[in-house]
Amino acid sequence: MPDNKSPWGPKGGSGGKKNPWGGAGKPDRARPGANDASPDLENVIEGFKSRVRAGGGGGGRRGGRPSGPIEKFGPFGLVAGAAAVFLVLSMFYTVDQTERAVVLRFGEYVRTEGPGLKFKLPSPVETKIVMETEVVQQEEIGDSRGQSLMLTGDENIVDIDFTVLWRIKDLNNFIFNVDETRNAVRAVGESAMREIVGKNELEKIITTDRLNITISVRDLMQKTLDEYAAGVEVVEVQLQKADPPEGEVVAAFRDVVNAAQDAETVVNQATAIQNDLIPRARGEAAQIIQDAEAYKGRVVAEAKGEAERFRLIYQEYKAAPVVTRQRMYLETIEQLYENSDKIVLDEQAGSGMVPYLPLNQLQQKQGAN
């Protein structure tokens, strides 16, 4: 009769429960004392299974609901998701107004992007290099003794400090064509300044030709950097200092500079006076000439008129001498007595009578006139 009190089920038969040690209803003879195991062993096994389920290895469900993302996708799924998010974020980037971006595909130049929101293939297929191209940068040259002392065209030495203002013109050339472009700008600036200074005299360098020298250095630098395809634009060259070597020579040259400036001031003042006096004198001369021309024209015209009048009178005189003489006499008398007080006495107006002349009234009228 089978023993139904056994914790492993009835012994024998195909319907019995399996022995936890691998036998089909038979005790494990390889493990001594297996039949003597305590019933608490089952609780231990169930507790172990519960801990395995809590750690993610127990079937992935609790109470019929899906467990957390780690239990759902596993650690490898989370890593893959994070990598996908990183790749998507690396495909978009922004470029500021003062910047430009160079896009590389497997390390080879593809394109240059301007300002705005941009798209590229995910890294590491395409990578970007963003740099400021619209910001003016400067290089101070001449801070050391070896850089500042230069030989002039008249075999003198001049101490020069200058500043080069530049910016990036082509980002692709700036990155790939020249190594250490900033140092290249410094070297080209110093070389160009030495070449230009070597073609000019010391006195002109420190006095009147400072602006011309900076313009020549800028043009020569730009030409050289363009030959190198450095992608750099030289904005301006500013000459900070141009002095002879220190010592008594400096004081002498400063006196020369001051004298030249004083001479230039005097010349400017004289030029201003000249510009004021000469136009005024020319205007007065032109006025005198015009007055003389007008007087000449008036006198000549009057003379011609009088000559023509005399000719006409002579012709009338030849035709009628008596009448002409009488007419000329009357016209002459009329002109003489036109503005004078006249008293006419008729010799036939009463003989034996004394004429009355108002002399007082005549004198008062003459005095008033």
Side-chain angles (χ1 to χ4, degrees):
M1 188 173 179
D3 187 6
N4 294 329
K5 295 181 180 180
S6 174
W8 315 117
K11 297 181 180 179
S14 60
K17 294 182 180 180
K18 293 184 179 181
N19 191 321
W21 312 117
K26 296 182 181 180
D28 190 357
R29 301 299 180 181
R31 294 179 58 86
N35 293 329
D36 299 333
S38 174
D40 293 337
L41 180 60
E42 185 177 359
N43 297 331
V44 174
I45 293 174
E46 290 295 330
F48 175 75
K49 290 182 179 180
S50 300
R51 289 193 297 271
V52 171
R53 292 190 190 100
R61 288 182 177 270
R62 293 180 182 174
R65 294 182 180 180
S67 57
I70 298 179
E71 297 178 356
K72 184 176 181 180
F73 300 104
F76 294 104
L78 291 179
V79 172
V85 172
F86 174 75
L87 288 178
V88 172
L89 293 178
S90 67
M91 295 169 64
F92 297 94
Y93 63 97
T94 58
V95 181
D96 194 69
Q97 292 292 334
T98 61
E99 298 175 339
R100 296 294 182 272
V102 169
V103 179
L104 308 178
R105 184 174 299 166
F106 298 111
E108 183 179 359
Y109 171 77
V110 178
R111 63 186 180 275
T112 300
E113 297 286 3
L117 179 62
K118 302 300 176 181
F119 171 81
K120 69 177 184 63
L121 297 179
S123 301
V125 178
E126 286 188 350
T127 57
K128 68 181 185 303
I129 301 176
V130 181
M131 298 184 67
E132 291 184 340
T133 59
E134 302 302 319
V135 176
V136 177
Q137 307 181 47
Q138 66 177 19
E139 296 295 330
E140 302 287 343
I141 302 177
D143 50 357
S144 64
R145 194 68 174 174
Q147 292 179 341
S148 61
L149 295 180
M150 300 182 183
L151 186 64
T152 64
D154 54 354
E155 299 182 356
N156 286 312
I157 296 177
V158 63
D159 188 4
I160 288 182
D161 292 345
F162 64 99
T163 302
V164 178
L165 303 180
W166 61 280
R167 68 178 186 88
I168 299 175
K169 178 174 63 175
D170 190 326
L171 187 57
N172 178 28
N173 294 339
F174 181 82
I175 295 175
F176 297 106
N177 288 353
V178 178
D179 189 18
E180 298 293 337
T181 309
R182 183 180 295 273
N183 294 334
V185 171
R186 293 180 60 89
V188 171
E190 181 181 353
S191 176
M193 180 62 74
R194 290 186 181 277
E195 179 175 347
I196 299 301
V197 167
K199 296 179 180 179
N200 291 272
E201 298 178 356
L202 177 61
E203 182 179 354
K204 294 183 178 180
I205 293 173
I206 64 178
T207 54
T208 58
D209 286 354
R210 296 168 66 96
L211 179 60
N212 295 332
I213 289 174
T214 57
I215 295 175
S216 300
V217 172
R218 182 197 63 188
D219 295 342
L220 182 57
M221 285 186 64
Q222 189 66 62
K223 179 181 178 181
T224 306
L225 292 172
D226 289 344
E227 292 177 356
Y228 294 159
V232 172
E233 178 186 359
V234 181
V235 179
E236 186 180 1
V237 176
Q238 298 176 350
L239 193 59
Q240 306 295 340
K241 181 183 70 172
D243 295 327
E246 298 180 357
E248 297 181 356
V249 180
V250 176
F253 272 101
R254 286 178 180 173
D255 292 340
V256 173
V257 173
N258 294 334
Q261 293 177 351
D262 294 341
E264 185 176 357
T265 301
V266 173
V267 171
N268 292 334
Q269 293 176 353
T271 303
I273 296 174
Q274 177 184 0
N275 294 334
D276 178 57
L277 293 179
I278 291 180
R280 187 184 304 173
R282 288 176 179 174
E284 293 177 356
Q287 182 179 0
I288 293 173
I289 291 175
Q290 291 176 358
D291 293 341
E293 294 290 340
Y295 177 75
K296 171 186 174 182
R298 180 171 60 83
V299 171
V300 170
E302 290 178 355
K304 290 182 177 180
E306 292 293 332
E308 183 66 18
R309 176 174 173 275
F310 180 80
R311 187 180 66 80
L312 295 176
I313 292 174
Y314 177 69
Q315 290 179 357
E316 295 294 333
Y317 180 78
K318 288 173 59 177
V322 177
V323 175
T324 303
R325 281 198 302 268
Q326 186 67 24
R327 178 184 174 186
M328 293 177 63
Y329 172 77
L330 294 176
E331 289 178 352
T332 303
I333 294 300
E334 182 181 1
Q335 292 178 357
L336 290 176
Y337 292 102
E338 180 180 5
N339 297 323
S340 60
D341 294 331
K342 298 175 285 296
I343 298 175
V344 179
L345 297 177
D346 188 1
E347 59 182 5
Q348 304 296 333
S351 59
M353 296 180 63
V354 178
Y356 170 73
L357 299 177
L359 297 179
N360 295 332
Q361 295 179 3
L362 293 176
Q363 289 179 353
Q364 291 176 0
K365 188 176 181 180
Q366 290 179 357
N369 294 332

